[in-house]
Structure formats: C-alpha cells, structure tokens
Amino acid sequence: MSEEKQWYAIHTYSGYENKVHQNLLARLESMNMQDQIFRVVVPEEEETTIKDGKKKTQMKKTFPGYVLVEMIMTDESWYVVRNTPGVTGFVGSQGAGIKPNPLLKEEARFILRQMGMSERIVDFDVEIGESVKIIDGPFNNQFGTIEEIDEQHFKLTVLVELFGRETPVEVEYDQIEKID
C-alpha cells in the first residue's frame, strides 16, 4: 500500500461522469475520507462553436466515461471509490480485489494542465523577493527571484537572468523549489 497521494482513473457509466463526481464528493464527506481522497475531477475542456453567426462556448468531456481521483490507495479509500454509485471500476485493475495502478505523473500532469489546473499545490510558503530554482519546463535549472505571486492560479512570476538582463518568466508552483 502506498502512503503517497496519486491520481487514479475510474471508469463510469457513459454520461454519468458529473453524477459520479457529486456522489464521490458526498461519500468522502459523509464517510470522513478527506485525509485519503483529495480531489475528484471530470476531465473536460472548453469548446467554442459558431452556429448561425453566434459564438457558443460549452464544456466538452475530453475522456467520456472517466473521472480522475487524487487519493492515497488504502483498503478503505479503494472500497469507498469502487462502491460509489455509477463507478464501474478502476482503470488498470487486474481483477476483483486487486488494487489498480495509478496514472503516471506525466499523464496526470498533462491532463490537468490541458484543463488549466495545476497537478499539485506546493506545500511550502513562498514570498516576494525569495530566491528559487526552476526545476521544470523551458527554464529548468535557472535560478531567480520571485517578483509576483498569483495564488488563485498557482503561478509565480520569477525574475531570471537571460542574456545579461533580468527577465520575468511565469512558472507554476510545482515548477520551483526554494533555495535554503
């Protein structure tokens, strides 16, 4: 059993993704599972169509029949998710009673970024003026100073030295680490 929270994909009846989302949130609340089940996400993206000259934007499911759950896999959490109405099973499960494999970190990060979400919230506080190292993305291994913090979108503006001058770059919380 892993004590690390990871993302798992669960299979639902087609068209029941939002209902499973609601059911699972209600169950984790009523069964007091917030310390083992953290986030429940229906993968979707905004789709804009133009019909009769009118622009219409709506959310479209990117993986119909699937819901993502960020959780620590224990017998209890597995049971709660598996027995939620509308859930047909975990993706990657080899059979009854066998725990499923989590999504690869890269898969989870890709899906969440497509939806405009961050994979994780960093569990440390940062302040403007603090020195950090960028550990992911195009500015990997660059050092800089935090200039701005956007807590709502989990993004930071970091000043890094490029071509002999300080340049502001935008990074997500999980793309930096503090320098002690």
Side-chain angles (χ1 to χ4, degrees):
M1 253 184 283
S2 172
E3 284 302 310
E4 181 185 352
K5 64 179 173 180
Q6 295 180 306
W7 285 97
Y8 293 85
I10 55 174
H11 214 276
T12 69
Y13 293 115
S14 191
Y16 280 73
E17 302 87 358
N18 292 334
K19 191 74 180 148
V20 166
H21 179 260
Q22 291 171 341
N23 288 343
L24 201 44
L25 290 177
R27 281 173 64 90
L28 76 96
E29 189 77 30
S30 68
M31 298 174 93
N32 202 21
M33 295 294 292
Q34 299 92 329
D35 60 338
Q36 293 179 45
I37 302 172
F38 305 97
R39 289 193 277 177
V40 181
V41 174
V42 177
E44 53 188 11
E45 60 189 3
E46 227 175 59
E47 183 180 68
T48 304
T49 54
I50 298 175
K51 191 173 182 182
D52 302 327
K54 291 189 176 135
K55 194 174 179 180
K56 183 181 175 189
T57 303
Q58 62 186 32
M59 296 309 282
K60 179 183 175 233
K61 308 235 177 330
T62 48
F63 299 105
Y66 296 94
V67 173
L68 301 183
V69 181
E70 184 183 36
M71 61 189 277
I72 295 171
M73 184 57 72
T74 64
D75 288 340
E76 275 183 291
S77 65
W78 178 78
Y79 181 85
V80 168
V81 173
R82 178 70 190 87
N83 292 294
T84 297
V87 172
T88 58
F90 276 87
V91 174
S93 185
Q94 278 81 37
I98 298 172
K99 300 266 184 348
N101 294 320
L103 291 173
L104 296 173
K105 286 190 186 316
E106 300 78 42
E107 292 172 325
R109 175 179 271 159
F110 176 77
I111 293 166
L112 294 170
R113 283 225 173 112
Q114 270 190 316
M115 296 173 59
M117 295 173 66
S118 179
E119 179 195 357
R120 63 189 166 110
I121 300 168
V122 200
D123 52 1
F124 58 78
D125 291 324
V126 291
E127 295 175 13
I128 292 174
E130 218 170 328
S131 295
V132 293
K133 178 182 179 184
I134 299 173
I135 57 169
D136 186 32
F139 300 99
N140 194 13
N141 292 323
Q142 293 279 338
F143 293 87
T145 308
I146 297 174
E147 182 182 49
E148 196 177 308
I149 301 172
D150 179 356
E151 289 182 23
Q152 190 175 359
H153 297 100
F154 308 109
K155 294 185 187 247
L156 303 165
T157 301
V158 177
L159 291 176
V160 296
E161 192 172 309
L162 294 174
F163 307 115
R165 58 198 294 198
E166 280 194 331
T167 306
V169 297
E170 191 176 83
V171 294
E172 293 187 23
Y173 277 20
D174 64 348
Q175 291 180 295
I176 62 143
E177 66 182 24
K178 288 171 84 168
I179 302 171
D180 292 326

